[in-house]
């Protein structure tokens, strides 16, 4: 299937639109079906063995509940983490913020375009940057630019996106069965067609031998990309 990026309804609708509000709730179900929190926990736990990252940035974070689910699963093994949620809409609820606080994770939610945030000077790189159901919004040129900035900003980049295959398209057509609304059913098909396969994200990561790249199918419907900075020699 050839990759095709189209505008999604959720990106066009005002935040207060009933369909948009329902679709944001649906995203929690979609993420649960795709297993993104679980996939990410496994990738992070396998990398950060015996040490905790101090900071996690979530690009296109939505309401932050995906990262909260991840945090609940991994918090007992890690020291407290500083979290930055970047999204062009401010969607973090007081309840989600309180749930992060209960884990001793401090959250900042920034209402910003991802490029504006990535191009800002960052006093310290983040230990981890994640993206779930976000990269597929961008065409190749912007994606290359986004990944280039991310490589300057983090030491570990992890993305879970739709896998661009017919099987995912069939699953997207069945989302009504789990109660997803018209907006979600429409956007899910667009998201699969804009999703990824093979080594498409690795090909857009900056050419630099200082990174270890992995890209593979994850779960039933997802495509996972990991870029990990290879530690340099201690001088
Ligand atoms: C499909 S939602 C995914 C939300 C969340 N990551 C998850 O997995 O539940 C995509 C999110 O990206 C945000 N977004 C889209 N384009 C953006 C941009 N250029 N800068 C920042 N956020 C953006 C949208 O507002 C939306 O919340």
């Amino acid at each position: 299937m050839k990759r095709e990026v189209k505008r999604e309804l959720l990106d066009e609708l005002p935040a207060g639109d009933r369909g948009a509000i329902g679709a944001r709730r649906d995203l929690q179900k979609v993420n649960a079906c795709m297993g993104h929190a679980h996939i990410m926990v496994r990738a992070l736990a396998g990398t950060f063995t015996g040490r905790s990252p101090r900071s996690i940035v979530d690009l296109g974070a939505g309401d932050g509940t995906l990262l909260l689910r991840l945090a609940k699963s991994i918090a007992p093994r890690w020291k407290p983490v500083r979290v930055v949620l970047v999204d062009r809409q401010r969607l973090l609820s007081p309840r989600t913020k309180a749930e992060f606080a209960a884990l001793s994770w401090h959250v900042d939610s920034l209402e910003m375009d991802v490029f504006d945030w990535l191009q800002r000077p960052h006093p310290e790189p983040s230990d981890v940057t994640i993206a779930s159901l976000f990269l597929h919004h961008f065409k190749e040129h912007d994606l290359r630019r986004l990944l280039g900035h991310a490589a300057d900003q983090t030491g570990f980049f992890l993305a879970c996106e739709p896998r661009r295959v017919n099987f995912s398209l069939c699953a997207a057509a069945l989302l009504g069965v789990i109660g997803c609304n018209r907006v979600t059913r429409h956007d899910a098909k667009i998201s699969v067609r804009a999703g990824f396969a093979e080594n498409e994200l690795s090909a857009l990561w900056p050419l630099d031998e200082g990174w270890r790249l992995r890209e593979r199918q994850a779960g039933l419907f997802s495509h996972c990309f990991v870029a990990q900075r290879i530690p340099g020699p201690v001088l």
Side-chain angles (χ1 to χ4, degrees), residues 67-189:
L67 186 52
L68 176 64
R69 194 185 282 237
L70 182 156
K72 283 182 175 170
S73 161
I74 214 161
R77 285 176 262 175
W78 283 0
K79 293 189 183 139
V81 178
R82 266 182 298 111
V83 167
V84 179
L85 307 177
V86 182
D87 200 290
R88 61 181 176 201
Q89 294 189 34
R90 194 184 294 274
L91 299 162
L92 177 70
S93 70
R95 181 178 168 175
T96 303
K97 191 168 180 167
E99 289 192 61
F100 273 113
L103 302 170
S104 303
W105 286 33
H106 175 83
V107 189
D108 276 326
S109 159
L110 302 180
E111 187 180 346
M112 277 182 98
D113 182 84
V114 71
F115 286 101
D116 291 340
W117 187 80
L118 283 167
Q119 285 169 62
R120 265 179 13 171
H122 296 281
E124 231 182 77
S126 69
D127 290 336
V128 174
T129 295
I130 66 166
S132 160
L133 299 179
F134 178 58
L135 299 184
H136 70 271
H137 283 81
F138 300 95
K139 292 191 177 156
E140 187 174 314
H141 171 77
D142 284 336
L143 205 43
R144 189 185 292 281
R145 211 155 61 86
L146 192 159
L147 296 179
H149 288 303
D152 291 336
Q153 169 275 322
T154 190
F156 186 89
F157 184 85
L158 167 61
C160 281
E161 295 294 324
R163 193 157 76 93
R164 200 178 70 248
V165 289
N166 284 329
F167 180 65
S168 308
L169 213 47
C170 295
L174 293 173
L175 280 174
V177 174
I178 58 164
C180 291
N181 75 8
R182 177 186 62 84
V183 175
T184 305
R185 295 196 304 271
H186 173 272
D187 286 355
K189 287 187 218 147

Side-chain angles (χ1 to χ4, degrees), residues 20 25-26 37 48 55 73 78 80 92 135 144 211 216:
R25 263 199 309 268
D26 290 346
F48 290 87
S55 52
S73 161
W78 283 0
L92 177 70
L135 299 184
R144 189 185 292 281
W211 290 89
R216 59 176 176 86

Side-chain angles (χ1 to χ4, degrees), residues 3-94:
R3 180 160 193 257
E4 188 182 23
V5 179
K6 285 191 183 162
R7 297 289 290 172
E8 296 180 23
L9 281 179
L10 190 54
D11 293 325
E12 307 284 332
L13 292 169
D17 178 273
R18 273 183 58 187
I21 293 169
R24 292 203 176 276
R25 263 199 309 268
D26 290 346
L27 264 177
Q28 297 181 16
K29 289 188 239 173
V30 172
N31 262 321
C33 290
M34 296 181 91
H36 280 186
H38 179 67
I39 294 166
M40 287 185 163
V41 165
R42 279 186 37 197
L44 290 169
T47 302
F48 290 87
T49 47
R51 67 189 171 109
S52 312
R54 286 158 304 167
S55 52
I56 301 183
V57 173
D58 187 351
L59 302 178
D63 61 9
T65 52
L66 182 269
L67 186 52
L68 176 64
R69 194 185 282 237
L70 182 156
K72 283 182 175 170
S73 161
I74 214 161
R77 285 176 262 175
W78 283 0
K79 293 189 183 139
V81 178
R82 266 182 298 111
V83 167
V84 179
L85 307 177
V86 182
D87 200 290
R88 61 181 176 201
Q89 294 189 34
R90 194 184 294 274
L91 299 162
L92 177 70
S93 70

